[in-house]
Amino acid sequence: MEFVSPEGLRLDGRRPTEMRQLRAEIGNVAKADGSAVFEMGNTKVIAAVYGPREVQNKSQQMSDQALVRCEYSMANFSTGDRMRKPKGDRRSTEISLVIRQTMEACILTHLMPRSQIDIFVQVLQADGGTRSACINAATLALQDAGIPMRDIVTSCSAGYLNSTPLLDLNYVEDSAGGPDVTVGLRLLSCGTYGYTLGPMD
Amino acid sequence: MGLPNASEDLSSEMEVDAFRRLFPLRYFERHLAESIRPDARPLSRARDTTISMGAVASADGSALAKIGSTTMLAAIKMEVMTPSLESPDEGCVSIDFHMPPICSPLVRPGRPAEAAPVVAKQLSDTISSSGMINLKELSLVGGKAAWMVYLDIYCLDADGALFDAALLSAVAAFSNLQIPTVSLDDGKIVMLPEEQKEENSEKEPVNKEKRKLTLGGIPFSLTCILHKNYILADPTSEEESIMETLVTVVLDSSNQLVSLYKPGGAVLAYTSAVQDCIALTRQRVKELHQILEEAISGMEID
Protein backbone atom coordinates (compact mmCIF):
# COMPACT_ATOMS: atom_id res chain seq x y z
CA MET A 1 0.00 0.00 0.00
CA GLU A 2 1.24 3.44 -0.85
CA PHE A 3 1.60 5.73 2.10
CA VAL A 4 3.58 8.42 0.33
CA SER A 5 2.55 9.33 -3.20
CA PRO A 6 5.15 9.94 -5.93
CA GLU A 7 4.54 13.68 -5.47
CA GLY A 8 5.54 13.33 -1.84
CA LEU A 9 2.09 13.61 -0.22
CA ARG A 10 0.77 11.33 2.49
CA LEU A 11 -2.69 9.78 2.72
CA ASP A 12 -4.15 12.86 4.38
CA GLY A 13 -2.37 15.30 2.09
CA ARG A 14 0.45 16.22 4.43
CA ARG A 15 4.12 16.43 3.55
CA PRO A 16 6.38 13.88 5.27
CA THR A 17 7.70 16.36 7.85
CA GLU A 18 4.40 18.12 8.44
CA MET A 19 2.50 17.72 11.70
CA ARG A 20 -1.23 17.56 12.05
CA GLN A 21 -3.18 20.53 13.31
CA LEU A 22 -2.61 21.16 17.01
CA ARG A 23 -5.17 22.59 19.40
CA ALA A 24 -4.88 23.02 23.13
CA GLU A 25 -7.10 24.44 25.85
CA ILE A 26 -6.52 24.64 29.56
CA GLY A 27 -8.85 24.90 32.52
CA ASN A 28 -11.67 22.75 31.08
CA VAL A 29 -12.38 20.77 34.24
CA ALA A 30 -13.45 23.23 36.91
CA LYS A 31 -13.17 20.67 39.70
CA ALA A 32 -9.56 19.76 38.94
CA ASP A 33 -6.56 21.69 40.16
CA GLY A 34 -5.31 21.76 36.60
CA SER A 35 -6.70 20.45 33.35
CA ALA A 36 -6.09 20.58 29.63
CA VAL A 37 -7.48 19.28 26.37
CA PHE A 38 -4.96 18.55 23.63
CA GLU A 39 -5.80 17.71 20.02
CA MET A 40 -3.37 16.47 17.37
CA GLY A 41 -5.44 16.15 14.22
CA ASN A 42 -8.29 13.79 15.11
CA THR A 43 -6.67 12.53 18.30
CA LYS A 44 -8.25 14.26 21.28
CA VAL A 45 -7.17 13.79 24.85
CA ILE A 46 -8.24 15.39 28.15
CA ALA A 47 -5.92 15.49 31.17
CA ALA A 48 -6.70 16.49 34.73
CA VAL A 49 -4.29 17.00 37.61
CA TYR A 50 -5.27 16.78 41.26
CA GLY A 51 -2.65 17.77 43.75
CA PRO A 52 -0.57 18.24 45.67
CA ARG A 53 -2.98 16.66 48.10
CA GLU A 54 -2.93 14.21 50.97
CA VAL A 55 -1.70 10.72 50.17
CA GLN A 56 -4.63 8.32 50.06
CA ASN A 57 -2.67 5.18 50.77
CA LYS A 58 -0.51 6.04 53.77
CA SER A 59 1.80 3.11 53.18
CA GLN A 60 2.99 4.72 49.95
CA GLN A 61 3.69 8.10 51.49
CA MET A 62 7.26 9.32 51.05
CA SER A 63 8.73 11.64 53.61
CA ASP A 64 11.12 13.43 51.29
CA GLN A 65 9.16 13.82 48.07
CA ALA A 66 5.75 13.80 46.47
CA LEU A 67 4.15 10.63 45.12
CA VAL A 68 3.17 10.94 41.47
CA ARG A 69 0.42 8.68 40.10
CA CYS A 70 -0.92 8.48 36.61
CA GLU A 71 -3.84 6.72 35.00
CA TYR A 72 -4.41 6.46 31.26
CA SER A 73 -7.73 5.27 29.92
CA MET A 74 -9.52 5.35 26.60
CA ALA A 75 -13.19 6.12 26.19
CA ASN A 76 -15.29 3.26 24.78
CA PHE A 77 -16.11 5.28 21.71
CA SER A 78 -12.61 6.63 21.08
CA THR A 79 -11.57 4.04 18.51
CA GLY A 80 -13.24 2.87 15.31
CA ASP A 81 -14.82 -0.22 16.86
CA ARG A 82 -16.20 0.13 20.34
CA MET A 83 -13.74 -1.05 22.96
CA ARG A 84 -14.80 -3.54 25.60
CA LYS A 85 -12.02 -3.03 28.13
CA PRO A 86 -10.84 0.56 28.07
CA LYS A 87 -8.51 0.34 31.03
CA GLY A 88 -6.72 -2.28 33.08
CA ASP A 89 -5.42 -3.93 29.93
CA ARG A 90 -1.67 -4.18 29.35
CA ARG A 91 -1.35 -1.34 26.89
CA SER A 92 -3.11 1.13 29.19
CA THR A 93 -1.02 0.05 32.16
CA GLU A 94 2.17 0.43 30.15
CA ILE A 95 1.26 3.87 28.89
CA SER A 96 0.25 4.96 32.41
CA LEU A 97 3.68 3.92 33.62
CA VAL A 98 5.44 5.72 30.78
CA ILE A 99 3.59 8.97 31.37
CA ARG A 100 4.18 8.78 35.10
CA GLN A 101 7.90 8.26 34.74
CA THR A 102 8.20 11.03 32.18
CA MET A 103 6.33 13.60 34.24
CA GLU A 104 7.89 12.53 37.54
CA ALA A 105 11.32 13.34 36.19
CA CYS A 106 10.23 16.92 35.53
CA ILE A 107 8.24 17.68 38.66
CA LEU A 108 10.19 19.13 41.58
CA THR A 109 8.88 16.44 43.88
CA HIS A 110 11.25 17.27 46.73
CA LEU A 111 9.33 20.52 47.26
CA MET A 112 6.16 18.69 48.22
CA PRO A 113 7.02 15.85 50.61
CA ARG A 114 4.31 13.58 52.01
CA SER A 115 1.87 14.59 49.32
CA GLN A 116 0.41 13.07 46.19
CA ILE A 117 -0.01 14.39 42.67
CA ASP A 118 -2.53 12.56 40.49
CA ILE A 119 -2.46 12.85 36.72
CA PHE A 120 -5.48 11.38 34.92
CA VAL A 121 -5.56 11.20 31.15
CA GLN A 122 -8.62 10.20 29.16
CA VAL A 123 -8.53 9.61 25.41
CA LEU A 124 -11.73 10.88 23.82
CA GLN A 125 -10.79 10.27 20.18
CA ALA A 126 -7.93 8.05 19.04
CA ASP A 127 -6.32 8.49 15.64
CA GLY A 128 -2.68 7.61 16.26
CA GLY A 129 -0.24 9.42 18.54
CA THR A 130 -2.33 9.06 21.69
CA ARG A 131 0.77 8.58 23.78
CA SER A 132 2.20 11.90 22.58
CA ALA A 133 -1.04 13.77 22.95
CA CYS A 134 -1.32 12.46 26.51
CA ILE A 135 2.12 13.68 27.48
CA ASN A 136 1.45 17.08 25.95
CA ALA A 137 -1.90 17.33 27.70
CA ALA A 138 -0.38 16.21 31.01
CA THR A 139 2.32 18.87 30.78
CA LEU A 140 -0.26 21.58 30.21
CA ALA A 141 -2.47 20.31 33.00
CA LEU A 142 0.45 20.25 35.45
CA GLN A 143 1.26 23.82 34.56
CA ASP A 144 -2.38 24.86 34.89
CA ALA A 145 -2.26 23.36 38.39
CA GLY A 146 0.77 25.43 39.23
CA ILE A 147 2.90 22.45 40.18
CA PRO A 148 6.59 23.38 40.28
CA MET A 149 8.42 21.74 37.42
CA ARG A 150 12.00 21.89 36.31
CA ASP A 151 11.15 21.61 32.63
CA ILE A 152 8.44 21.28 30.01
CA VAL A 153 8.01 17.93 28.24
CA THR A 154 6.57 17.69 24.77
CA SER A 155 6.17 14.65 22.65
CA CYS A 156 5.57 13.52 19.10
CA SER A 157 5.79 10.32 17.12
CA ALA A 158 7.57 9.49 13.90
CA GLY A 159 7.87 6.51 11.62
CA TYR A 160 9.36 5.21 8.40
CA LEU A 161 7.18 4.03 5.49
CA ASN A 162 7.85 3.73 1.75
CA SER A 163 11.50 4.66 2.45
CA THR A 164 10.43 8.04 3.80
CA PRO A 165 10.67 9.26 7.38
CA LEU A 166 7.23 10.54 8.44
CA LEU A 167 6.38 12.88 11.30
CA ASP A 168 3.28 12.54 13.51
CA LEU A 169 1.69 9.29 12.36
CA ASN A 170 -2.05 8.89 12.26
CA TYR A 171 -3.79 5.56 12.96
CA VAL A 172 -3.54 4.18 9.41
CA GLU A 173 0.17 4.96 9.15
CA ASP A 174 0.81 3.66 12.67
CA SER A 175 -0.80 0.30 11.97
CA ALA A 176 0.99 -0.12 8.65
CA GLY A 177 3.68 -2.21 10.32
CA GLY A 178 6.70 -0.01 9.78
CA PRO A 179 9.00 1.05 12.62
CA ASP A 180 7.81 3.95 14.75
CA VAL A 181 9.11 5.86 17.73
CA THR A 182 7.55 8.24 20.20
CA VAL A 183 9.93 10.78 21.60
CA GLY A 184 9.51 12.99 24.62
CA LEU A 185 11.79 15.96 24.81
CA ARG A 186 12.54 18.33 27.63
CA LEU A 187 12.67 21.80 26.15
CA LEU A 188 14.48 24.06 28.55
CA SER A 189 17.46 21.88 29.33
CA CYS A 190 20.46 21.80 27.02
CA GLY A 191 18.58 20.30 24.07
CA THR A 192 20.47 17.02 24.06
CA TYR A 193 18.21 15.44 26.65
CA GLY A 194 15.70 13.13 25.01
CA TYR A 195 13.64 10.12 26.07
CA THR A 196 12.92 7.39 23.59
CA LEU A 197 9.71 5.88 24.73
CA GLY A 198 7.99 3.80 22.10
CA PRO A 199 8.75 0.37 20.71
CA MET A 200 10.73 0.24 17.51
CA ASP A 201 9.50 -2.73 15.51
CA MET B 1 -25.71 25.93 73.36
CA GLY B 2 -22.51 27.74 72.81
CA LEU B 3 -22.01 26.68 69.21
CA PRO B 4 -24.41 28.93 67.24
CA ASN B 5 -23.20 31.92 69.17
CA ALA B 6 -19.60 30.98 68.64
CA SER B 7 -20.01 30.92 64.90
CA GLU B 8 -21.92 34.18 64.91
CA ASP B 9 -19.06 35.84 66.75
CA LEU B 10 -16.45 34.29 64.54
CA SER B 11 -18.24 35.19 61.34
CA SER B 12 -17.48 38.83 61.81
CA GLU B 13 -13.80 38.13 62.32
CA MET B 14 -13.20 35.27 59.91
CA GLU B 15 -12.58 35.40 56.20
CA VAL B 16 -15.50 34.35 54.04
CA ASP B 17 -13.69 31.31 52.61
CA ALA B 18 -12.77 30.03 56.04
CA PHE B 19 -16.34 30.45 57.26
CA ARG B 20 -17.56 28.61 54.17
CA ARG B 21 -15.33 25.64 54.93
CA LEU B 22 -15.84 25.49 58.68
CA PHE B 23 -19.57 26.20 58.95
CA PRO B 24 -20.95 25.32 55.51
CA LEU B 25 -24.54 24.89 56.56
CA ARG B 26 -24.64 28.21 58.35
CA TYR B 27 -22.98 29.89 55.37
CA PHE B 28 -25.67 28.58 53.03
CA GLU B 29 -28.51 29.37 55.39
CA ARG B 30 -27.38 32.96 55.65
CA HIS B 31 -27.74 33.15 51.88
CA LEU B 32 -31.04 31.29 51.73
CA ALA B 33 -32.57 33.69 54.23
CA GLU B 34 -32.03 36.38 51.57
CA SER B 35 -33.46 34.09 48.86
CA ILE B 36 -30.19 33.82 47.05
CA ARG B 37 -27.35 31.33 46.69
CA PRO B 38 -23.58 31.89 46.93
CA ASP B 39 -23.25 31.97 43.14
CA ALA B 40 -25.88 34.77 43.07
CA ARG B 41 -28.61 32.61 41.58
CA PRO B 42 -32.18 32.89 42.86
CA LEU B 43 -33.41 29.64 44.41
CA SER B 44 -35.44 28.51 41.43
CA ARG B 45 -32.97 29.20 38.66
CA ALA B 46 -30.81 26.57 37.04
CA ARG B 47 -27.26 27.22 35.86
CA ASP B 48 -26.33 28.18 32.30
CA THR B 49 -26.82 25.18 30.07
CA THR B 50 -25.15 24.55 26.71
CA ILE B 51 -25.26 21.65 24.28
CA SER B 52 -22.83 21.09 21.47
CA MET B 53 -23.54 18.34 18.98
CA GLY B 54 -21.13 16.12 17.16
CA ALA B 55 -18.40 16.44 19.78
CA VAL B 56 -16.89 13.06 18.92
CA ALA B 57 -16.27 12.78 15.21
CA SER B 58 -15.70 9.02 15.19
CA ALA B 59 -19.04 8.19 16.83
CA ASP B 60 -22.38 7.72 15.04
CA GLY B 61 -23.97 10.37 17.25
CA SER B 62 -22.55 12.44 20.05
CA ALA B 63 -23.14 15.49 22.19
CA LEU B 64 -21.44 17.46 24.94
CA ALA B 65 -23.79 18.92 27.54
CA LYS B 66 -22.77 21.40 30.21
CA ILE B 67 -24.91 22.57 33.09
CA GLY B 68 -22.78 25.15 34.88
CA SER B 69 -19.49 23.33 35.34
CA THR B 70 -20.94 19.82 35.17
CA THR B 71 -19.84 18.41 31.83
CA MET B 72 -21.09 15.21 30.19
CA LEU B 73 -19.89 13.74 26.92
CA ALA B 74 -22.26 11.21 25.35
CA ALA B 75 -21.43 9.17 22.27
CA ILE B 76 -23.33 6.48 20.42
CA LYS B 77 -21.81 3.57 18.53
CA MET B 78 -24.01 1.16 16.60
CA GLU B 79 -23.33 -2.48 15.87
CA VAL B 80 -25.36 -5.14 14.10
CA MET B 81 -26.53 -8.08 16.18
CA THR B 82 -29.02 -10.94 16.02
CA PRO B 83 -32.20 -10.02 17.88
CA SER B 84 -33.43 -12.22 20.72
CA LEU B 85 -36.09 -14.86 20.15
CA GLU B 86 -38.66 -13.10 22.34
CA SER B 87 -38.48 -9.85 20.36
CA PRO B 88 -37.28 -10.65 16.84
CA ASP B 89 -38.36 -7.28 15.45
CA GLU B 90 -36.65 -5.11 18.00
CA GLY B 91 -33.17 -3.75 18.45
CA CYS B 92 -31.53 -3.02 21.76
CA VAL B 93 -30.15 0.02 23.58
CA SER B 94 -27.36 -0.32 26.12
CA ILE B 95 -26.54 2.70 28.28
CA ASP B 96 -23.31 2.99 30.23
CA PHE B 97 -22.35 5.86 32.51
CA HIS B 98 -18.72 6.39 33.51
CA MET B 99 -17.17 8.70 36.05
CA PRO B 100 -13.46 8.69 35.32
CA PRO B 101 -11.15 10.08 38.01
CA ILE B 102 -10.72 13.33 36.08
CA CYS B 103 -14.20 14.47 36.97
CA SER B 104 -13.84 14.97 40.67
CA PRO B 105 -11.23 14.92 43.44
CA LEU B 106 -13.42 12.42 45.28
CA VAL B 107 -13.18 9.70 42.64
CA ARG B 108 -10.21 7.43 43.12
CA PRO B 109 -8.74 5.29 40.36
CA GLY B 110 -9.53 1.64 40.83
CA ARG B 111 -12.60 2.35 42.89
CA PRO B 112 -15.64 3.47 40.88
CA ALA B 113 -17.60 6.43 42.20
CA GLU B 114 -20.68 5.64 44.27
CA ALA B 115 -22.87 7.80 42.10
CA ALA B 116 -21.91 6.11 38.83
CA PRO B 117 -23.99 2.90 38.89
CA VAL B 118 -26.92 4.77 40.46
CA VAL B 119 -27.04 7.34 37.68
CA ALA B 120 -26.50 4.60 35.07
CA LYS B 121 -29.52 2.67 36.30
CA GLN B 122 -31.66 5.80 36.57
CA LEU B 123 -30.72 6.74 33.01
CA SER B 124 -31.58 3.39 31.45
CA ASP B 125 -34.85 3.21 33.35
CA THR B 126 -35.82 6.73 32.37
CA ILE B 127 -34.95 6.37 28.70
CA SER B 128 -36.71 3.05 28.31
CA SER B 129 -39.85 4.09 30.16
CA SER B 130 -40.14 7.47 28.45
CA GLY B 131 -40.73 5.73 25.14
CA MET B 132 -38.28 8.06 23.40
CA ILE B 133 -36.78 5.23 21.37
CA ASN B 134 -39.00 2.88 19.41
CA LEU B 135 -37.05 -0.36 19.44
CA LYS B 136 -38.87 -1.58 16.35
CA GLU B 137 -37.13 1.16 14.35
CA LEU B 138 -33.84 -0.50 15.16
CA SER B 139 -34.73 -3.67 13.32
CA LEU B 140 -32.93 -4.34 10.04
CA VAL B 141 -34.07 -7.77 8.85
CA GLY B 142 -36.85 -9.24 10.96
CA GLY B 143 -35.61 -12.08 13.13
CA LYS B 144 -32.10 -11.99 11.65
CA ALA B 145 -30.46 -8.61 12.15
CA ALA B 146 -31.07 -5.57 14.29
CA TRP B 147 -29.12 -2.65 15.64
CA MET B 148 -27.44 -2.70 19.02
CA VAL B 149 -27.06 0.88 20.16
CA TYR B 150 -24.25 1.49 22.65
CA LEU B 151 -24.56 4.81 24.43
CA ASP B 152 -21.55 5.73 26.56
CA ILE B 153 -21.69 8.80 28.73
CA TYR B 154 -18.53 10.12 30.33
CA CYS B 155 -18.62 12.65 33.10
CA LEU B 156 -15.76 15.06 32.50
CA ASP B 157 -16.51 17.39 35.42
CA ALA B 158 -18.79 16.55 38.33
CA ASP B 159 -20.31 19.65 39.89
CA GLY B 160 -23.77 18.51 40.97
CA ALA B 161 -26.93 17.59 39.05
CA LEU B 162 -25.17 14.66 37.35
CA PHE B 163 -28.36 12.94 36.29
CA ASP B 164 -29.79 16.07 34.66
CA ALA B 165 -26.68 16.68 32.59
CA ALA B 166 -26.33 13.00 31.68
CA LEU B 167 -29.94 12.75 30.51
CA LEU B 168 -29.58 15.94 28.50
CA SER B 169 -26.42 14.71 26.79
CA ALA B 170 -28.06 11.33 26.05
CA VAL B 171 -31.10 12.97 24.49
CA ALA B 172 -28.91 15.31 22.45
CA ALA B 173 -26.75 12.42 21.24
CA PHE B 174 -29.83 10.54 20.07
CA SER B 175 -31.00 13.65 18.22
CA ASN B 176 -27.61 13.84 16.57
CA LEU B 177 -27.52 10.15 15.63
CA GLN B 178 -26.95 9.21 11.99
CA ILE B 179 -27.58 5.51 11.46
CA PRO B 180 -24.76 4.04 9.35
CA THR B 181 -25.72 2.71 5.92
CA VAL B 182 -25.71 -1.04 5.55
CA SER B 183 -26.37 -3.40 2.73
CA LEU B 184 -27.22 -7.05 2.51
CA ASP B 185 -24.37 -9.02 0.99
CA ASP B 186 -25.07 -12.73 0.54
CA GLY B 187 -27.28 -12.81 3.58
CA LYS B 188 -24.78 -10.90 5.77
CA ILE B 189 -25.17 -7.32 6.81
CA VAL B 190 -22.22 -5.23 5.74
CA MET B 191 -21.55 -1.67 6.84
CA LEU B 192 -21.03 0.69 3.95
CA PRO B 193 -18.55 3.52 4.43
CA GLU B 194 -19.97 6.99 3.84
CA GLU B 195 -18.08 7.79 0.67
CA GLN B 196 -18.84 4.71 -1.41
CA LYS B 197 -21.70 5.00 -3.86
CA GLU B 198 -21.13 1.70 -5.67
CA GLU B 199 -24.07 -0.49 -6.58
CA ASN B 200 -22.48 -3.69 -5.34
CA SER B 201 -25.41 -4.81 -3.21
CA GLU B 202 -28.79 -6.25 -4.08
CA LYS B 203 -30.88 -5.01 -1.19
CA GLU B 204 -30.44 -1.89 0.96
CA PRO B 205 -32.82 -2.31 3.86
CA VAL B 206 -32.38 0.58 6.26
CA ASN B 207 -30.57 2.94 4.01
CA LYS B 208 -30.67 6.45 2.73
CA GLU B 209 -34.29 7.18 3.69
CA LYS B 210 -34.15 6.04 7.29
CA ARG B 211 -30.95 7.53 8.71
CA LYS B 212 -32.45 9.26 11.74
CA LEU B 213 -34.48 7.83 14.61
CA THR B 214 -37.90 9.32 15.24
CA LEU B 215 -37.82 10.31 18.87
CA GLY B 216 -41.03 9.97 20.85
CA GLY B 217 -41.61 11.88 24.08
CA ILE B 218 -38.20 13.38 24.90
CA PRO B 219 -37.53 13.34 28.65
CA PHE B 220 -36.01 16.31 30.47
CA SER B 221 -35.25 16.48 34.16
CA LEU B 222 -34.55 18.80 37.04
CA THR B 223 -32.98 17.90 40.36
CA CYS B 224 -33.97 19.97 43.37
CA ILE B 225 -32.69 20.05 46.93
CA LEU B 226 -35.15 20.23 49.81
CA HIS B 227 -33.87 21.99 52.89
CA LYS B 228 -36.24 23.03 55.68
CA ASN B 229 -38.82 24.90 53.67
CA TYR B 230 -36.56 25.97 50.82
CA ILE B 231 -36.41 24.32 47.43
CA LEU B 232 -33.18 24.86 45.49
CA ALA B 233 -33.18 24.02 41.80
CA ASP B 234 -30.09 22.56 40.10
CA PRO B 235 -27.65 22.14 42.97
CA THR B 236 -23.89 22.35 42.71
CA SER B 237 -21.81 19.57 44.25
CA GLU B 238 -21.07 21.74 47.28
CA GLU B 239 -24.79 22.24 47.91
CA GLU B 240 -25.46 18.53 47.38
CA SER B 241 -22.85 17.54 49.94
CA ILE B 242 -24.23 19.82 52.63
CA MET B 243 -27.97 19.48 52.12
CA GLU B 244 -28.53 15.89 51.22
CA THR B 245 -32.19 15.60 50.33
CA LEU B 246 -32.56 15.46 46.55
CA VAL B 247 -35.66 15.13 44.41
CA THR B 248 -35.37 14.45 40.70
CA VAL B 249 -38.40 14.97 38.47
CA VAL B 250 -38.43 13.81 34.85
CA LEU B 251 -41.09 15.20 32.52
CA ASP B 252 -41.40 14.61 28.82
CA SER B 253 -41.94 17.35 26.24
CA SER B 254 -45.73 17.12 26.62
CA ASN B 255 -45.39 17.71 30.38
CA GLN B 256 -46.31 14.16 31.32
CA LEU B 257 -44.57 12.82 34.41
CA VAL B 258 -42.05 10.13 33.48
CA SER B 259 -40.43 9.64 36.87
CA LEU B 260 -40.11 11.09 40.34
CA TYR B 261 -37.09 10.03 42.37
CA LYS B 262 -36.39 10.84 45.98
CA PRO B 263 -33.76 8.58 47.54
CA GLY B 264 -34.36 9.16 51.24
CA GLY B 265 -32.85 12.17 52.94
CA ALA B 266 -33.50 14.01 56.17
CA VAL B 267 -36.32 16.17 54.86
CA LEU B 268 -39.73 14.65 54.17
CA ALA B 269 -41.45 15.83 51.01
CA TYR B 270 -45.03 16.85 51.60
CA THR B 271 -47.43 17.19 48.70
CA SER B 272 -46.81 20.91 48.37
CA ALA B 273 -43.06 20.41 48.06
CA VAL B 274 -43.52 17.75 45.39
CA GLN B 275 -45.91 19.99 43.47
CA ASP B 276 -43.46 22.88 43.66
CA CYS B 277 -40.68 20.67 42.32
CA ILE B 278 -42.86 19.57 39.44
CA ALA B 279 -43.75 23.19 38.66
CA LEU B 280 -40.06 24.14 38.61
CA THR B 281 -39.35 21.19 36.34
CA ARG B 282 -42.09 22.25 33.95
CA GLN B 283 -40.40 25.63 33.55
CA ARG B 284 -37.03 24.01 33.10
CA VAL B 285 -38.36 21.64 30.43
CA LYS B 286 -39.35 24.61 28.30
CA GLU B 287 -35.85 26.09 28.61
CA LEU B 288 -34.15 22.79 27.85
CA HIS B 289 -36.41 22.08 24.90
CA GLN B 290 -35.48 25.40 23.38
CA ILE B 291 -31.77 24.88 23.98
CA LEU B 292 -31.98 21.46 22.34
CA GLU B 293 -33.89 22.82 19.33
CA GLU B 294 -31.27 25.53 18.84
CA ALA B 295 -28.46 23.01 19.00
CA ILE B 296 -30.16 20.74 16.47
CA SER B 297 -30.90 23.54 14.03
CA GLY B 298 -27.34 24.79 14.49
CA MET B 299 -26.07 21.43 13.30
CA GLU B 300 -28.39 21.32 10.31
CA ILE B 301 -27.18 24.63 8.99
CA ASP B 302 -23.69 23.13 8.83
Side-chain angles (χ1 to χ4, degrees), chain A residues 30-31 50 53 76 80 82, chain B residues 77 102 105 152 154 157-158 237:
Chain A
K31 280 251 156 240
Y50 287 95
R53 57 178 176 176
N76 280 336
R82 189 175 177 268
Chain B
K77 280 267 192 201
I102 55 172
D152 290 295
Y154 279 78
D157 199 343
S237 59

Side-chain angles (χ1 to χ4, degrees), chain A residues 148-161:
Chain A
M149 292 170 74
R150 58 171 61 88
D151 213 332
I152 300 173
V153 191
T154 54
S155 170
C156 190
S157 64
Y160 195 81
L161 289 171

Side-chain angles (χ1 to χ4, degrees), chain A residues 28-32 44 46 48 50 53 56 69 71 74-80 82 84 86-87 120 122 124-125, chain B residues 55-58 69 73 75 77 79 96 98 100-105 108-110 150 152 154 156-159 237:
Chain A
N28 299 71
V29 179
K31 280 251 156 240
K44 184 170 177 181
I46 184 167
Y50 287 95
R53 57 178 176 176
Q56 279 159 353
R69 287 201 309 177
E71 192 183 72
M74 300 182 78
N76 280 336
F77 45 75
S78 57
T79 53
R82 189 175 177 268
R84 302 292 156 154
K87 61 175 159 177
F120 300 121
Q122 179 89 24
L124 298 176
Q125 267 177 234
Chain B
V56 179
S58 53
S69 301
L73 179 63
K77 280 267 192 201
E79 282 178 12
D96 219 352
H98 309 257
I102 55 172
C103 71
S104 161
R108 289 158 59 170
Y150 288 106
D152 290 295
Y154 279 78
L156 300 180
D157 199 343
D159 192 21
S237 59

